[in-house]
Amino acid sequence: MKVVDLKEQEAVVEAVLFTMGQSVEIRQLAAALETSEKEAEEAAERLKKRYGESVCGMQIVRLEDSYQMCTRTGYYENLIRVAATPKKQVLTDVVMETLAIIAYKQPVTKAEIEKIRGVKSDHAVNRLIEYNLVYEAGRLDAPGRPALFATTEDFLRRFGVSSTGELPTMDMEQKEEIRTAVEEELSLKLDEDGKLVEQEELEEKEALEGQETLDRLLWIKQKEEEKP
């Protein structure tokens, strides 16, 4: 039966989003309400606004043509204190570079990615699929039917955008800033090869590098003094 009452529409949308636990397309909400997609979208937006104005631990977010109920970002730190330590996804320079190409060129084939990067990218693409940041979006109508890759909703959530249209224009000067931001977000340190460096290893490495630098300076000074 068609849901007419506005408050009841919001309640139905709330129940669907809570039960599904993942993003729900507007057309699916319309089917649940037995209304038009426009009415379903309006109901979801009212619910989103109500959650945004209240003090609660949940929020409604829009992801392109879908809505999802999720934890309010301000409470992540509280959740981390009681949750088991999650598996940390280390986005190395290679993986980040591959992700950027897919994000801005999607849908894109692996061959196109490798043409831009100049090297094989199987490992990076597989790692992105494992992290659920990238998925196989279809097949190119060409010889061999190569797979096309695109970013997922998890990518939108992780980088704080509602659609790929909101992705900023990037330049090479921002690369180091992005790397630093990712390290801070994940509370990790990466070495020059983009590999995880634990704090003790980092301190040991810094001490070793400092000693090596001192040894080199002393060696150079000694050689200078030995000159006639």
Side-chain angles (χ1 to χ4, degrees):
M1 181 181 297
K2 179 178 180 179
V3 180
V4 179
D5 182 77
L6 298 184
K7 288 297 183 183
E8 189 175 354
Q9 285 182 348
E10 293 176 29
V12 170
V13 172
E14 185 178 38
V16 171
L17 296 182
F18 176 81
T19 302
M20 297 302 291
Q22 59 187 12
S23 63
V24 180
E25 295 180 6
I26 294 174
R27 64 177 182 82
Q28 294 175 301
L29 295 176
L33 294 168
E34 295 187 344
T35 62
S36 66
E37 291 187 13
K38 184 176 184 298
E39 288 183 89
E41 182 179 2
E42 290 173 348
E45 284 295 326
R46 291 196 304 273
L47 183 66
K48 180 175 181 290
K49 181 180 180 182
R50 178 154 61 84
Y51 268 78
E53 294 174 346
S54 64
V55 180
C56 64
M58 307 300 291
Q59 63 179 343
I60 308 298
V61 297
R62 179 164 185 169
L63 302 168
E64 296 189 332
D65 293 327
S66 303
Y67 287 88
Q68 180 171 353
M69 177 182 289
C70 57
T71 305
R72 194 178 294 276
T73 56
Y75 299 118
Y76 283 174
E77 183 178 343
N78 304 85
L79 291 174
I80 291 173
R81 293 172 186 165
V82 296
T85 303
K87 179 182 178 181
K88 295 177 179 177
Q89 300 175 350
V90 182
L91 298 182
T92 65
D93 285 347
V94 171
V95 173
M96 286 178 62
E97 182 179 289
T98 305
L99 178 58
I101 293 172
I102 296 174
Y104 283 90
K105 299 288 186 180
Q106 62 184 306
V108 62
T109 66
K110 195 177 297 181
E112 291 173 311
I113 296 170
E114 293 173 349
K115 182 178 180 180
I116 294 172
R117 296 193 60 237
V119 294
K120 297 288 287 183
S121 301
D122 297 75
H123 176 74
V125 172
N126 291 338
R127 184 56 57 88
L128 289 169
I129 293 174
E130 178 187 336
Y131 290 165
N132 197 33
L133 295 174
V134 164
Y135 75 107
E136 186 177 317
R139 295 277 173 172
L140 185 66
D141 188 12
R145 302 278 293 170
L148 290 166
F149 297 97
T151 53
T152 64
E153 289 181 351
D154 277 358
F155 167 81
L156 298 178
R157 280 188 285 270
R158 178 159 184 165
F159 290 90
V161 293
S162 297
S163 69
T164 53
E166 294 183 11
L167 291 173
T169 302
M170 310 282 283
D171 57 52
M172 294 304 294
E173 294 180 359
Q174 292 176 296
K175 181 179 178 181
E176 191 58 35
E177 294 179 11
I178 296 172
R179 176 193 175 95
T180 302
V182 171
E183 289 180 346
E184 290 178 352
E185 176 187 350
L186 299 176
S187 298
L188 301 174
K189 283 292 184 180
L190 306 179
D191 62 18
E192 293 179 355
D193 296 323
K195 296 181 180 179
L196 175 63
V197 178
E198 299 293 346
Q199 187 59 37
E200 291 183 2
E201 294 178 356
L202 178 65
E203 293 174 355
E204 182 179 357
K205 180 181 178 182
E206 290 175 346
L208 180 60
E209 289 176 347
Q211 184 60 50
E212 289 176 346
T213 300
L214 179 60
D215 291 343
R216 291 192 187 99
L217 289 173
L218 291 173
W219 184 83
I220 292 173
K221 182 179 180 182
Q222 180 181 355
K223 289 299 181 181
E224 285 294 324
E225 292 176 349
E226 290 176 357
K227 289 182 179 180

